[in-house]
Amino acid sequence: MNDQLILTDLFDNEIGHMSKEEAHRSGRLHRAFSVFIINDGKMLIQKRNKNKYHSGGLWANACCSHPRYGETLTDSVCRRLKEELGISCEFRELFDFVYFTEYGEELFEYEYDHVFLSEYQGGFDFDREEIEELRWINFDDLKSEMLEEPRKFSSWFMIAAPKVLKLIWER
């Protein structure tokens, strides 16, 4: 957790940098990204490793992380797709949003999250320290699971996934 993250204001203007651990312990707003991967009416979701420092064991989008200080969003997305899933693929940004989640007295997610979409078919060589399980789920089943069992999903996924699904269905 020693990466230097990019601190931002509410409009994603860079205002400094801070270690990943310090940013999450102090609740400082920082830049992040979430990548959603779809293929043939299904979305790839990952079950976060239960040993992650927050949201362990919860389902989330295919890949999420933070750009490092001095790294572009595009470069960081490419890096993390390779590190987490063992893939390279094309992607495009859909939207962004800010969210805040408190995980305890001294652990917070306060992120300016950029949401990306990729269409990908192929294999994965995923990092088991990051991910316990991957699965493809069709959009309707995902919608039902999110409605019936929201506690199974990460907080950012519950915000972003409905917006992603809506954009997919509208195209």
Side-chain angles (χ1 to χ4, degrees):
M1 274 191 34
N2 292 330
D3 287 346
Q4 291 288 307
L5 304 186
I6 301 165
L7 301 178
T8 70
D9 65 14
L10 285 172
F11 306 102
D12 198 33
N13 297 305
E14 186 175 326
I15 59 171
H17 58 94
M18 181 179 283
S19 75
K20 182 177 177 180
E21 182 175 4
E22 190 178 356
H24 286 103
R25 297 235 178 263
S26 64
R28 294 289 303 274
L29 181 60
H30 56 277
R31 192 169 292 151
F33 63 85
S34 296
V35 181
F36 286 76
I37 297 178
I38 61 172
N39 182 33
D40 195 28
K42 295 179 181 179
M43 183 180 290
L44 181 72
I45 58 175
Q46 65 154 280
K47 188 173 193 179
R48 291 170 56 87
N49 185 300
K50 66 180 174 250
N51 297 319
K52 297 284 286 180
Y53 66 100
H54 72 77
S55 304
L58 297 181
W59 289 95
N61 46 286
C63 177
C64 49
S65 191
H66 314 88
R68 294 172 177 154
Y69 179 66
E71 182 179 43
T72 68
L73 266 169
T74 299
D75 288 346
S76 63
V77 170
C78 290
R79 175 178 54 81
R80 289 305 292 164
L81 283 169
K82 192 70 169 160
E83 291 171 354
E84 279 191 42
L85 297 169
I87 66 169
S88 295
C89 59
E90 293 183 14
F91 50 85
R92 63 185 170 93
E93 188 166 357
L94 295 178
F95 59 88
D96 52 48
F97 68 100
V98 173
Y99 76 98
F100 178 86
T101 303
E102 186 173 349
Y103 294 103
E105 208 170 289
E106 294 183 19
L107 186 59
F108 310 91
E109 282 278 43
Y110 191 18
E111 296 189 336
Y112 194 103
D113 196 5
H114 294 260
V115 178
F116 294 87
L117 180 67
S118 175
E119 293 189 40
Y120 176 82
Q121 58 183 5
F124 300 96
D125 181 19
F126 66 91
D127 180 349
R128 296 202 176 271
E129 289 185 21
E130 295 283 335
I131 301 168
E132 278 187 31
E133 183 181 342
L134 289 175
R135 73 174 166 137
W136 288 102
I137 182 169
N138 77 50
F139 299 149
D140 288 330
D141 289 345
L142 176 60
K143 183 178 87 170
S144 294
E145 280 190 33
M146 291 175 67
L147 280 168
E148 295 167 14
E149 302 178 82
R151 288 188 175 109
K152 288 176 37 175
F153 299 94
S154 70
S155 61
W156 65 90
F157 185 82
M158 289 298 296
I159 296 167
K163 296 174 192 280
V164 171
L165 288 171
K166 186 177 180 184
L167 289 170
I168 291 167
W169 285 326
E170 289 176 348
R171 62 180 178 160

